[in-house]
Amino acid sequence: MVRGVIIFSLFVCGFSLPTRREGFSIFEVPEQIKSHGYQAERHHVTTQDGYILEVHRIPFGRHQSSSDVRRPAVFLMHGLFSASNAYIALGPEFSISYNLADAGFDVWMGNARGNRLSRNHVSLNPDSDKFDFFDFTWEQIGMLDVAAMIDYVLEVTGEEKLHYVGHSQGGTAFLVLNSMRPEYNEKFTSVHLLAGVGYMNHFPNAQLRTTALMTDIIYKTALATGFVEVFPPGFEASLPWGRTTLADRCTGRIDTQHMCEVTGVQHLLREVPDEGSSNLEIFAEDALGGGALKQIAHYGQNIRDRTFRRWNYGILENRRVYGTLTPPAYDLSLITADVTMHYTVSDNLLDERDVLAMAADMPNTVVRKVARESFLHEDFAVAQDVKELVTDFMIESMLKLEKL
């Protein structure tokens, strides 16, 4: 049973994390961008419920410090427990953010609440108030964080609309935002979801579907031990490297070390994929974003229930919060933005049938299968051929819409 749980939790949404250690901390993203020859800016955005988010900007192309022409804005959102560094980790030649900047775009990269770049709040302390601070899922990330960052980018740039790129949970956040706050559909010129996780009627891994039945038990057990945050600040030094792996440090506490195994971190990070299948490697200890364990639990509920819906509190609390015995499903028919859903047939976290079903329910959505059969879920962020197979297409379509 434990082995099944190991496979389950953190594997449900796919990390979009940096590929190799380049000697820079997650806290030095702007500095790394500058070292690659680009201008970089650090911005902070406060959500309506008080979370303070860090946003990074690449306003010009490489070795440029100004521009006489309009540069359309594009906003990129990372995946589960990742951060903005995922979009620069492949370096100037292959990273999506750099490719977009060189193509003439004003590039903005968001960071979700709770990751180590957005671990701040106007009143809550993430350490002493951790149960309140980390009481969120990707619903709040989409409906509040992404909304606030989109509004901020549009205000700063003076643009009426922008382009959106979201990988994995970054796609989930978009689906949540635009189904629950459909007025935001008008703020996007185009949207590119890279393995955007939503419908789970055909979740591709049978063993994970079975263990997802234990989601609520796993989450309640974790809460009882005080484990609410994954990869907190300082987790790198929490245990001696000689006897532990990075996965063992996911709670930052030796007394809850076992919870890393229960929630699946050990399984996810213990192996490097076969040579040639991906550029994903064991991650540098200071490159991880982190976040709330409840994000995993929400995905687990949806895998278990074969649906895409809001957090399940249980029958009594659902009735109080939602007025129904079960959580409402996200209504994707309300998403009217121009969306392209990029997917791969080798994705172990998102089935082609679910992608096609989502696209069928969204009025202005098309699907695009990645041309490499072996392309994986994480390859949208970590494979060098993502430029050839995905990014070049995105850039061409964006420029076409902008008539540039």
Side-chain angles (χ1 to χ4, degrees):
M1 181 178 71
V2 172
R3 181 176 296 274
V5 176
I6 291 173
I7 297 174
F8 165 56
S9 289
L10 278 180
F11 207 47
V12 298
C13 188
F15 282 63
S16 58
L17 291 166
T19 61
R20 57 178 60 82
R21 185 167 188 167
E22 292 195 7
F24 76 100
S25 163
I26 190 175
F27 303 105
E28 300 171 339
V29 173
E31 289 74 18
Q32 181 71 359
I33 293 171
K34 291 176 183 177
S35 75
H36 285 151
Y38 296 82
Q39 298 289 310
E41 298 174 5
R42 180 183 277 111
H43 296 253
H44 292 94
V45 178
T46 302
T47 67
Q48 67 182 57
D49 58 345
Y51 287 83
I52 302 171
L53 315 175
E54 184 162 313
V55 180
H56 298 137
R57 182 188 192 186
I58 307 175
F60 308 112
R62 198 174 193 188
H63 304 310
Q64 292 181 324
S65 58
S66 63
S67 176
D68 295 330
V69 299
R70 170 178 168 265
R71 297 178 66 86
V74 57
F75 180 83
L76 296 91
M77 195 62 192
H78 59 77
L80 180 67
F81 299 153
S82 185
S84 57
N85 56 348
Y87 286 116
I88 65 167
L90 287 172
E93 185 176 356
F94 301 110
S95 295
I96 293 177
S97 287
Y98 293 141
N99 294 158
L100 285 164
D102 289 338
F105 291 92
D106 183 355
V107 179
W108 297 74
M109 299 173 288
N111 285 288
R113 65 180 61 196
N115 87 15
R116 295 196 291 160
L117 293 173
S118 296
R119 197 177 180 270
N120 293 286
H121 193 277
V122 296
S123 61
L124 295 175
N125 184 308
D127 297 313
S128 59
D129 303 315
K130 65 179 182 179
F131 288 98
D132 291 325
F133 185 95
F134 288 100
D135 186 19
F136 63 83
T137 81
W138 33 260
E139 177 171 303
Q140 287 74 37
I141 291 173
M143 194 168 61
L144 299 173
D145 294 5
V146 173
M149 290 185 284
I150 293 298
D151 289 340
Y152 180 85
V153 171
L154 293 178
E155 180 181 359
V156 171
T157 62
E159 297 283 306
E160 294 183 358
K161 296 184 176 186
L162 51 71
H163 300 272
Y164 184 94
V165 177
H167 176 227
S168 193
Q169 183 187 257
T172 309
F174 172 85
L175 298 174
V176 169
L177 170 62
N178 290 273
S179 60
M180 296 193 69
R181 302 178 70 177
E183 66 273 15
Y184 271 82
N185 284 286
E186 301 302 319
K187 301 189 179 189
F188 299 97
T189 303
S190 74
V191 177
H192 292 269
L193 303 186
L194 314 180
V197 177
Y199 288 179
M200 301 219 179
N201 194 49
H202 301 284
F203 190 75
N205 189 298
Q207 186 174 10
L208 302 187
R209 291 198 307 269
T210 300
T211 19
L213 297 172
M214 303 171 60
T215 294
D216 293 337
I217 295 174
I218 294 171
Y219 184 58
K220 289 177 181 178
T221 301
L223 290 181
T225 68
F227 177 26
V228 294
E229 180 182 12
V230 180
F231 297 118
F235 77 89
E236 306 94 326
S238 61
L239 297 167
W241 275 112
R243 298 197 301 272
T244 61
T245 67
L246 174 61
D248 292 326
R249 301 160 181 253
C250 71
T251 70
R253 294 163 44 195
I254 194 168
D255 60 317
T256 55
Q257 181 181 358
H258 67 285
M259 291 305 301
C260 301
E261 178 178 347
V262 172
T263 54
V265 180
Q266 186 73 39
H267 173 83
L268 182 63
L269 298 184
R270 71 183 179 185
E271 294 178 340
V272 180
D274 294 335
E275 184 178 358
S277 66
S278 171
N279 288 320
L280 185 64
E281 298 176 2
I282 298 300
F283 309 118
E285 67 271 18
D286 204 18
L288 292 154
L293 186 65
K294 194 174 181 179
Q295 295 168 245
I296 302 172
H298 197 175
Y299 278 120
Q301 288 184 350
N302 281 347
I303 294 170
R304 176 194 65 199
D305 300 331
R306 294 176 178 266
T307 188
F308 182 44
R309 64 186 185 184
R310 303 183 68 181
W311 175 257
N312 192 339
Y313 293 96
I315 292 176
L316 294 179
E317 191 66 5
N318 285 341
R319 190 176 184 87
R320 186 187 71 81
V321 175
Y322 305 126
T324 56
L325 299 181
T326 58
Y330 299 106
D331 186 356
L332 300 195
S333 70
L334 299 177
I335 300 178
T336 58
D338 181 357
V339 178
T340 300
M341 302 192 78
H342 302 258
Y343 74 96
T344 167
V345 294
S346 294
D347 197 326
N348 196 39
L349 305 170
L350 180 63
D351 191 275
E352 179 181 31
R353 290 169 291 180
D354 286 328
V355 174
L356 297 177
M358 286 189 283
D361 288 343
M362 296 159 63
N364 297 310
T365 297
V366 297
V367 298
R368 182 175 180 270
K369 181 168 64 175
V370 176
R372 173 159 67 85
E373 293 288 311
S374 60
F375 202 84
L376 305 175
H377 184 88
E378 65 268 16
D379 281 343
F380 286 102
V382 305
Q384 290 186 350
D385 61 354
V386 71
K387 180 181 186 300
E388 174 188 352
L389 298 176
V390 181
T391 309
D392 287 347
F393 174 88
M394 291 195 299
I395 289 174
E396 182 180 355
S397 64
M398 290 178 190
L399 292 175
K400 192 173 184 180
L401 288 170
E402 296 290 347
K403 295 180 173 58
L404 295 176

